[in-house]
Amino acid sequence: MSADLVRPYGDTTGDGMVQTSFTLPLPHDKRAEGAALQLAAKMGMSPALLVHAKPMGPDFTFFVVYGSVTHLVDLREVHVVEREYPLLSSADVNQAIRSHLQRKLVVVGACIGTDAHTVGIDAILNIKGFAGEKGLEYYREMTVVNLGAQVLVPDLVEAAREVQADAVLVSQVVTQRDAHIHNTTTMSAAFREAFPTGQVPLLVAGGPRFEEGSAATLGVDRVFGRGTTPGEVASYLVHELVTSRTRPDPRGAQR
Ligand code: B12
């Protein structure tokens, strides 16, 4: 096999083994198990083994299937979004803000809509941070306003206006019925309506299930996904708002 073509690995290299789980709207019986195996075959698993089936109430069954996929991955067709800014230490971030902006960089964060999953935004903002990195509250040259969970978009816009936010950081974890997409597009539209063109704060959305490269569709400046660290976000903010600033300062100050 060419080095550009790979298959999943289970017991022996290239055996193609994968395991996946799903729920079918069927009561647990032999027919439901057959249906699960049919789905596995249609997903390219051949042969597939049913390794787990559990009734989820009277009308649904949860399945785990394990088997060898017939598909190959062609690495030449894998496209990734490379980080477009350098990673800075917290000292460099503070230094850049101090010398270029000559005031604190103001960040407002919130979990919007009905979403109450605050662990992600707290990981980025709270001083205790995430993955061994301190959160943005640790940065001496940043003022962080964390509005917490279930913040309504009009309240977020109002808070951003009140503190003259440079950046607004929004977290969306729940993806049921594409809530994360609807909430984020509603939020970005509200900011565009509330602020004059060119004075909208930098809009950043984050959460484990945002697609890389979906920022433009969502109307935000950038999207951060699973495993993001506070240092990445701080470096991005400095890149966009301080060192290569292309947008006017919301306070009208000159650099
Ligand atoms: C903890 C948790 C809860 C807690 C939340 C407590 C809290 N204060 O946050 C409680 C118990 C309240 C809860 C409730 C619910 N939950 Co819940 N919950 C979870 C769980 C187990 C962990 C989430 C978490 O904390 N991850 C850790 C953080 C650090 O990771 P993260 O959020 O991805 O954040 C990182 C990145 O994504 C990124 N990031 C995130 N936000 C942002 C924002 C910015 C600006 C940036 C830059 C980066 C960034 O940086 C972070 C650090 O790397 C997940 C399952 C899982 N294992 O993920 C389910 C999960 C998210 N919950 C789920 C569900 C369904 C619910 C409920 C609807 C359950 C119910 N029926 O009541 C409710 C909804 C409540 C509500 N109104 O939102 C589902 C969502 C499914 C879906 N498709 O949307 C999940 C996936 C579980 C599942 N498999 O079903 N939940």
Side-chain angles (χ1 to χ4, degrees):
M1 201 181 296
S2 129
D4 291 320
L5 297 176
V6 293
R7 297 188 75 199
Y9 168 93
D11 301 316
T12 52
T13 308
D15 62 14
M17 299 306 274
V18 299
Q19 179 165 298
T20 188
S21 63
F22 51 85
T23 302
L24 291 179
L26 296 170
H28 181 211
D29 56 16
K30 280 284 172 198
R31 191 175 68 119
E33 294 192 355
L37 286 174
Q38 185 190 110
L39 179 63
K42 286 183 173 170
M43 287 162 68
M45 293 169 73
S46 175
L49 278 176
L50 188 66
V51 292
H52 182 69
K54 188 170 170 53
M56 308 289 285
D59 302 323
F60 295 84
T61 311
F62 174 73
F63 297 99
V64 179
V65 290
Y66 178 65
S68 176
V69 277
T70 50
H71 307 295
L72 295 173
V73 177
D74 188 340
L75 295 177
R76 291 163 299 195
E77 290 170 17
V78 174
H79 304 290
V80 292
V81 180
E82 298 290 352
R83 183 164 38 79
E84 70 281 24
Y85 55 89
L87 272 186
L88 305 176
S89 67
S90 54
D92 288 343
V93 166
N94 284 327
Q95 170 63 28
I97 299 173
R98 204 166 31 243
S99 56
H100 291 271
L101 212 56
Q102 287 149 14
R103 62 168 175 81
K104 296 213 175 181
L105 186 102
V106 181
V107 176
V108 172
C111 216
I112 58 169
T114 56
D115 206 326
H117 293 87
T118 48
V119 180
I121 188 79
D122 288 346
I124 303 300
L125 298 182
N126 284 4
I127 194 161
K128 70 178 181 207
F130 179 72
E133 291 182 10
K134 301 274 192 204
L136 303 192
E137 286 174 356
Y138 172 76
Y139 291 74
R140 213 177 311 127
E141 302 299 330
M142 288 195 196
T143 299
V144 175
V145 181
N146 185 350
L147 299 174
Q150 300 189 327
V151 175
L152 300 174
V153 167
D155 294 344
L156 179 64
V157 170
E158 201 36 53
R161 197 199 295 282
E162 201 179 307
V163 299
Q164 295 182 286
D166 293 289
V168 173
L169 272 55
V170 154
S171 181
Q172 286 289 272
V173 174
V174 173
T175 59
Q176 287 161 339
R177 294 172 195 266
D178 283 340
H180 62 314
I181 293 173
H182 298 309
N183 289 340
T184 306
T185 47
T186 304
M187 180 275 298
S188 59
F191 270 93
R192 277 195 301 276
E193 204 180 307
F195 286 81
T197 312
Q199 287 177 35
V200 180
L202 189 76
L203 300 178
V204 179
R209 296 198 186 169
F210 279 115
E211 271 179 56
E212 257 190 349
S214 64
T217 340
L218 296 167
V220 297
D221 295 285
R222 203 177 195 288
V223 160
F224 284 90
R226 203 165 30 90
T228 304
T229 66
E232 289 173 322
V233 180
S235 302
Y236 169 72
L237 295 180
V238 163
H239 176 74
E240 284 297 316
L241 294 167
V242 180
T243 46
S244 59
R245 177 162 220 147
T246 49
R247 58 183 61 224
D249 190 316
R251 290 149 197 237
Q254 298 297 309
R255 285 202 292 125

